[in-house]
Amino acid sequence: MNFDLPADTEAMCAALTAFARRDLGGTGTFVPEDFRRRWQLAGKQGILGATVPEEHGGSGLGAVSAVALMEALGIGTADTGFGFSVAAHLFACLMPIVEFGTPDQKLLWLPRLSSGELIAAHAITETEAGSDIFAMRTIAELRGDSYVLNGSKAFITNAPIADVFIVQAVTEPGGGFFGLTSFIIEAGTPGLHAGPAYDKVGLRGSPTGELHLDDVHVPPEHVLGGRGAGAAVFSGSMKWERTCLFGVYLGAMRRVLDSTIEFAGERVQFGAPIGEFQAVSHRIVDMMLGMESARLLLFKAAAELARGGNNEVWSALAKIAVSEAAVQLGLDAIGVRGGLGITDGAAETLLRDALPSRIFSGTNEIQKNNIARTLGFGRRPARRR
């Protein structure tokens, strides 16, 4: 096993970190004009289409390089919310079009989505259908020569500012896995309305909101993957998102760990830097242990995805490991700083940004259920002793 990234990937990541520090900082809150300005800069830098094939305007990177790139982005920008929006756009929206889109759909959407001209959002979640996607109530009925969609979506990343939506809807009630269909819908389509950005505990730089559909007409050529392929499209997007998106959190953890080490070396109490006290130094070692362990799992998941294997278990394990490590590292970074940790700064920001990571892309509890199924639990009735 070679744990070193190729030299060209290392150079690409170093350049991205420097670029993000210089141009993608932001204020940590969502300001529409500034968000789109930084978005277009990210597009010119090639971030938004990193894993999109070159013939469609992307860079053609594999999953391992994509995780490394997202890690570099997380190190470079303190606005983890912006990095989260970038990753959700790329992995939950562009990659489904890459894998399920028709040639015409790829030609129409991918170059502009990769360049930063357009912003995408994948509308899956509803208030009554989060982890249970088959409980969704948004309906798509074929009427004449178009589908008509009605329903509402919630907690949709990039919804308040998106130009293009991938919307999941029920086309066969009670049809289970084959009862859902994905649609590509442009903002401004009559009957399609995005709500304002939520006021969230974390990831405040990422605009998240609701999407309402009231008799939205969509032509058949905007069906993604064919009728009944919605669950497959969703699974494909999660395959990429649960693996590569969490690279942003690796970078954020690295950035905060480095600043915590620096703080512990400079902060003097009782005549010595606090890093000299075992209680502090051991806590910092635990921070490093959690981060590096999670990093290994995430790159393992990326390697499985890159070779075309079934990475469901590895992506689930990595998602749990990264999210839990990020929350704990945020708590420990605050603990090392003491009172300064609960004022505005890197430590408390990381903790707020890390809390949602336990929930999105499938809650950690759902990930454990998925892993348990692969171990044979929940499939067979219990045998009588």
Side-chain angles (χ1 to χ4, degrees):
M1 293 182 291
N2 183 3
F3 292 98
D4 295 325
L5 293 168
D8 58 343
T9 302
E10 293 278 12
M12 176 182 65
C13 291
L16 175 55
T17 296
F19 164 75
R21 284 175 177 156
R22 185 182 66 245
D23 295 324
L24 300 182
T27 62
T29 58
F30 173 58
V31 180
E33 296 79 9
D34 183 62
F35 184 94
R36 195 169 284 274
R37 178 189 66 81
R38 288 182 290 149
W39 191 269
Q40 291 170 348
L41 290 174
K44 291 178 181 178
Q45 194 71 13
I47 306 169
L48 300 176
T51 52
V52 173
E54 293 182 19
E55 62 266 29
H56 298 305
S59 301
L61 299 181
V64 173
S65 294
V67 170
L69 200 70
M70 291 299 108
E71 183 180 27
L73 177 62
I75 293 172
T77 177
D79 187 356
T80 303
F82 182 80
F84 176 80
S85 277
V86 166
H89 164 92
L90 173 56
F91 302 120
C93 301
L94 273 68
M95 291 312 296
I97 298 176
V98 169
E99 295 186 339
F100 293 91
T102 65
D104 287 343
Q105 289 171 345
K106 294 175 183 180
L107 182 64
L108 178 62
W109 301 114
L110 289 177
R112 291 186 292 163
L113 289 167
S114 297
S115 70
E117 179 184 346
L118 302 177
I119 301 172
H122 197 152
I124 304 168
T125 305
E126 300 178 6
T127 55
E128 301 297 327
S131 298
D132 183 7
I133 66 165
F134 299 115
M136 70 173 59
R137 298 177 181 177
T138 298
I139 298 293
E141 298 176 306
L142 185 59
R143 300 180 191 170
D145 59 354
S146 66
Y147 285 91
V148 181
L149 278 68
N150 285 280
S152 294
K153 301 291 182 177
F155 306 108
I156 307 304
T157 302
N158 294 341
I161 201 171
D163 305 294
V164 180
F165 296 88
I166 297 177
V167 178
Q168 300 281 359
V170 176
T171 45
E172 296 292 341
F177 188 88
F178 299 103
L180 306 181
T181 301
S182 300
F183 300 87
I184 304 176
I185 309 176
E186 291 185 74
T189 300
L192 184 72
H193 304 286
Y198 295 147
D199 185 12
K200 309 188 300 296
V201 66
L203 297 175
R204 293 176 178 173
S206 174
T208 306
E210 298 177 356
L211 185 68
H212 303 283
L213 303 100
D214 183 14
D215 279 347
V216 176
H217 288 252
V218 182
E221 57 266 28
H222 283 198
V223 171
L224 179 62
R227 183 184 175 102
V233 172
F234 168 71
S235 296
S237 71
M238 288 297 100
K239 171 185 68 178
W240 282 93
E241 181 177 300
R242 284 178 187 149
T243 302
C244 300
L245 179 149
F246 284 86
V248 175
Y249 280 97
L250 291 182
M253 283 192 280
R254 174 73 66 186
R255 174 168 41 80
V256 174
L257 176 60
D258 289 345
S259 69
T260 303
I261 294 171
E262 182 180 2
F263 178 87
E266 296 177 349
R267 174 70 166 172
V268 174
Q269 292 285 275
F270 305 103
I274 62 172
E276 297 296 324
F277 304 135
Q278 191 176 77
V280 174
S281 63
H282 282 194
R283 175 173 280 190
I284 292 175
V285 170
D286 286 339
M287 294 165 67
M288 182 178 181
L289 175 62
M291 180 194 71
E292 292 292 357
S293 299
R295 187 174 191 270
L296 288 173
L297 270 174
L298 191 61
F299 274 95
K300 166 67 174 177
E304 287 292 316
L305 178 57
R307 73 180 185 88
N310 182 2
N311 77 328
E312 180 181 4
V313 170
W314 293 107
S315 64
L317 287 170
K319 192 267 184 186
I320 295 168
V322 174
S323 59
E324 296 295 344
V327 171
Q328 188 59 53
L329 195 145
L331 287 169
D332 286 335
I334 289 173
V336 170
R337 287 165 172 79
L340 295 174
I342 59 174
T343 59
D344 185 39
E348 61 87 23
T349 300
L350 173 64
L351 179 59
R352 287 191 289 101
D353 289 340
L355 289 173
S357 70
R358 289 172 161 175
I359 298 170
F360 63 71
S361 300
T363 67
N364 286 4
E365 290 74 20
I366 288 294
Q367 303 310 313
K368 292 176 183 179
N369 286 347
N370 293 341
I371 297 167
R373 274 200 305 274
T374 69
L375 301 176
F377 298 114
R379 289 181 171 177
R380 300 185 300 269
R383 290 182 295 177
R384 182 175 300 173
R385 290 178 180 249

